[in-house]
Amino acid sequence: MAAKAGATAAVAPEDALEVVRGMTQGRGADKVIEAAGPPAAQRLALEISRRAGTVVLSGLKDATGEVTFGQIPLAVQSRQVLSTQNGNVRMRRDLPAYVRLLERGALDPSPVITSTYRLDDINTALERSERLEDLSGVFVF
């Protein structure tokens, strides 16, 4: 799915640090967007970023989870950590705009559509989407 949306590489979380360092000659990524949600993924996002890099946290797997970061990456190496939920979308303003883009064909939804259901199968769709929470995330570039 990531490749369809333009990603040039995708790696499993357990390989991300080594792969990113290899791709950047040890420097780390300039920008990292974390969307998986568990605290370990958010810490890893900071680890794979470079000095003075930017990390955007958007995932939330457990509302009671806590994330701790080392002081060196933040205070000494000047990494920026930003937060966003749902892309900071303002539903009343942005949802109609997205619908207009879809209607005009200016926005292609196909890369993020994994399944389709009839309206009377809504409960089946919701059950299946809940099970997707158990999948491990991938980092994409």
Side-chain angles (χ1 to χ4, degrees), residues 2-3 6-10 23 140-141:
T8 57
M23 292 174 73
V140 295
F141 308 95

Side-chain angles (χ1 to χ4, degrees), residues 6-26:
T8 57
V11 297
E14 58 270 12
D15 301 327
L17 186 59
E18 181 181 328
V19 170
V20 170
R21 287 197 175 148
M23 292 174 73
T24 62
Q25 292 75 44

Side-chain angles (χ1 to χ4, degrees), residues 46-108:
L46 186 74
E47 290 174 14
I48 66 173
S49 68
R50 68 168 176 82
R51 287 175 159 264
T54 302
V55 178
V56 179
L57 305 178
S58 68
L60 177 66
K61 184 166 180 141
D62 176 9
T64 62
E66 294 187 15
V67 181
T68 57
F69 297 122
Q71 286 185 299
I72 296 293
L74 295 175
V76 177
Q77 296 176 340
S78 301
R79 286 176 173 88
Q80 294 181 356
V81 178
L82 307 172
S83 173
T84 183
Q85 278 298 304
N86 301 318
N88 290 340
V89 169
R90 290 184 177 171
M91 290 298 183
R92 287 188 177 170
R93 178 197 67 198
D94 297 335
L95 196 54
Y98 290 130
V99 169
R100 285 191 298 276
L101 289 169
L102 288 165
E103 290 173 338
R104 286 196 329 250
L107 182 63
D108 179 15

